Amino acid sequence: MANYYCLIAGLPDLTLDGGKKDYSVATLKEECADMLTTKDSALLFYYFLKNDCKNLVRLLKNPDAELLPNGNYSREQFTDMITSAREMNFNVHRFPQFMSIYAREFNFNKDKEGWFAEDAMAQAYYEYAMNCPNKMMAEWFKLNFDITNILTAMIARKNGWNVNDYILGDNEVNEMIRTNNTKDFDLRHEYDYVVDLMKIVDEEDPVMKEKRIDAFKWLWLDEQTFFETFSIEAVFAYFCKLEMLERWEKLDVEQGKETFKQIIENLRGEAKVPDEFKK
């Protein structure tokens, strides 16, 4: 296992008040390009693929759309992917197969009732990313996918909507959501964090709700990397945290940053990382 002491020791501290010394995901990506092993670079591919998936949807809707930064592929490569998938009906091997399938079927699906381009892509991405060969990273993607579905189901039930219409994918968590009528879908017995999610659902302020979700994820990353300080897992966690701070920096004022800090400090004393996701 590679040790990235020099890389991680040189990174600025990510403080909970949002400070990151003008450091960005793009900057870290550039630094990692020359420092990571080939194997570990392949693992981070899964992290950057999230933006590639969003960009593919953008380009299928509008070929001239602006691309999100920090992906794996260029506009020219996307054009190659879309052309190959549609006109030659095969997958160019350097692209994940699910992306070529999505591109090929997009025009057929886009006008179907109940089909949402972003949701369909998100499901395909997470189902692919959950098969990442790194255990911690695969569990991170599963955690995010499950949290999204659980929160969506709770909000749907709270509003009297049909839960089954809003749940993506098939796994143990989704099966429990679809078949259980209890308030927590009987998930709290298997996933301790569901109790916290139920509190988050009741939060009326949408910004505060997002912050509480991110705070939980931040602590999960801390737990997973506590004994892996200079590993690829630590590099991955730093990317994930940096992305959170970048997002809140664009949306927030100083008071909001302080709120995020307070949420995390409170969770440190009361929230438990689910056994399902512990090493």
Side-chain angles (χ1 to χ4, degrees), residues 47-65:
Y47 170 81
F48 297 115
L49 188 65
K50 176 174 60 177
N51 282 344
D52 289 319
C53 289
K54 293 178 180 179
N55 283 333
L56 178 58
V57 175
R58 288 188 175 200
L59 291 173
L60 287 168
K61 289 184 174 182
N62 175 13
D64 298 319

Side-chain angles (χ1 to χ4, degrees), residues 162-176:
N162 185 346
V163 171
N164 289 341
D165 291 340
Y166 297 91
I167 302 304
L168 301 176
D170 295 302
N171 60 23
E172 181 182 0
V173 169
N174 291 348
E175 180 66 22
M176 294 177 72

Side-chain angles (χ1 to χ4, degrees), residues 136 140 217-225 237 240-241:
M136 176 266 192
W140 166 256
K217 294 177 181 179
W218 186 292
L219 292 181
W220 187 91
L221 292 166
D222 282 347
E223 176 81 14
Q224 294 295 307
T225 56
C240 295
K241 290 179 178 180

Side-chain angles (χ1 to χ4, degrees), residues 29 70 102 177 179 192 227 250-251 277:
K29 182 184 180 185
N70 301 322
Y102 183 96
I177 290 173
T179 59
D192 294 340
F227 296 109
K250 294 177 181 177
L251 298 175
F277 297 104

